[in-house]
């Protein structure tokens, strides 16, 4: 048995923030952002938190799968921007959707989070522990961005995507994940003061800090490397894969990946122009769009691949 995606859902906040909107308070430029990143606009939450986005995406995925929430045995939320340190965003989702038989927890693997979640659930399904689960990528990174730092804040957007996953004969063929903790300082965000209030610390929440060039260099090397590795290890020809659904971080990274994998850009779907980089949510939001507009057909071979803070990376080959 393996893990098969049987339903998808996505939810993004209503408020659209265009590049021109950013120019009102930031020394930036619409043409620069479009050319250097491919982003035209992003969704930014005003009052909705990460858990609310995750719940809405989960509800849509459950409706799409046509299952009863009570059938769900495990809820995994991949997020780096949970509203609270505890309980988990997954607990909020489990309670809100009535998945009363599910165990629920969050994972933090930044933009690779959805693939890490799929990898974990695949392990549970293969070992026969669970049959039905929900993996959600949900982020409100707008709340940890330094909106005066033009080198990072222009990139990100808020949103959530979810997938209902069930044991089946066909589905995930192989997952591949990795971490390089020595590069943790390339992209990070302080969650708490390192000192406690008793010994002279004060509560402090940090902003995201990113060395964009380092992340870029890492991504253009790592994404093709793991995609090629997964093709090789499974004996799959690159032409036999219909869709390469890659984390939406920058269109230049996607174009470079297309060249290095040796595939045309038509095989790499793009929606970063409308949503920016939604971190753990980017892959499931894209899968949901493609499933609903008919681009994804049952039996298609699909590769997913993401990278992010950690540094982390992941790829999956699956039959839709
Ligand atoms: O999910 C993972 C999350 N992170 C990423 O994926 C980040 C990956 N990195 C990137 O996407 C790119 O490195 C960035 C988009 C962040 C930056 O693009 P770049 O081509 O590496 O630009 P740069 O940092 O080399 O900056 C080039 C110039 C600089 O000006 P000077 O020194 O040449 O005069 C920057 O100050 O562009 C300037 N610049 C901007 N100009 C207008 C940087 N940000 C902006 C901006 N608007 N927002």
């Amino acid at each position: 048995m393996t893990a098969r995606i049987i339903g998808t859902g996505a939810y993004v906040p209503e408020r659209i923030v265009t590049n021109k909107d950013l120019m009102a308070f930031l020394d930036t430029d619409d043409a620069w952002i479009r050319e250097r990143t491919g982003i035209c606009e992003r969704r930014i939450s005003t009052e909705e938190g990460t858990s609310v986005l995750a719940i809405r995406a989960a509800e849509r995925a459950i409706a799409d799968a046509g299952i009863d929430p009570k059938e769900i045995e495990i809820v995994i939320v991949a997020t780096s921007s949970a509203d609270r340190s505890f309980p988990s965003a997954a607990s909020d989702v489990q309670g809100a959707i009535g998945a009363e038989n599910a165990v629920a927890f969050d994972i933090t693997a930044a933009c690779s989070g959805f693939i890490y979640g799929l990898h974990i659930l695949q392990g549970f399904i293969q070992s026969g522990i669970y049959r039905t689960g929900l993996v959600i990528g949900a982020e409100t990174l707008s709340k940890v961005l330094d909106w005066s730092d033009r080198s990072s804040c222009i990139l990100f957007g808020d949103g959530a995507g979810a997938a209902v996953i069930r044991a089946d004969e066909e589905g995930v063929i192989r997952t591949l994940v990795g971490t390089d903790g020595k590069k943790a300082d390339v992209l990070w965000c302080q969650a708490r003061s390192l000192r406690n209030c008793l010994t002279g610390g004060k509560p402090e929440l940090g902003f995201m800090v990113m060395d964009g060039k380092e992340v870029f260099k890492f991504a253009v090397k790592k994404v093709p490397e793991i995609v090629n590795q997964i093709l090789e290890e499974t004996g799959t020809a690159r032409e036999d894969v219909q869709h390469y659904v890659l984390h939406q971080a920058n269109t230049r990274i996607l174009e470079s990946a297309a060249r290095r994998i040796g595939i045309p850009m038509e095989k790499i779907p793009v929606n970063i122009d409308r949503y920016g980089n939604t971190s753990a949510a980017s892959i499931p939001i894209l899968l949901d769009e493609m499933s609903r507009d008919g681009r994804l057909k049952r039996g298609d071979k699909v590769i997913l691949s993401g990278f992010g803070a950690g540094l982390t990376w992941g790829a999956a080959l699956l039959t839709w």
Side-chain angles (χ1 to χ4, degrees), residues 26-29 32-33 36-37 110-111 149-156 187 208 210-217 219 247-250 252-253 277 279 307-309:
L26 199 63
D27 177 19
T28 189
D29 179 51
W32 190 96
I33 301 174
R36 306 305 292 169
T37 71
C111 310
D149 175 13
R150 67 178 185 173
S151 67
S152 61
C153 75
I154 52 112
L155 282 178
F156 297 92
L187 178 52
M208 179 194 291
M210 180 176 76
D211 182 339
K213 274 201 185 312
E214 274 306 308
V215 180
F216 194 95
K217 275 196 280 183
H247 170 48
Q248 305 284 297
N250 188 318
R252 288 188 293 138
I253 296 175
N277 177 346
S279 187
F307 64 91

Side-chain angles (χ1 to χ4, degrees), residues 298-314:
R298 207 172 161 83
D300 279 356
K301 292 278 183 291
V302 184
I303 279 190
L304 316 179
S305 182
F307 64 91
L311 292 170
T312 57
W313 57 89

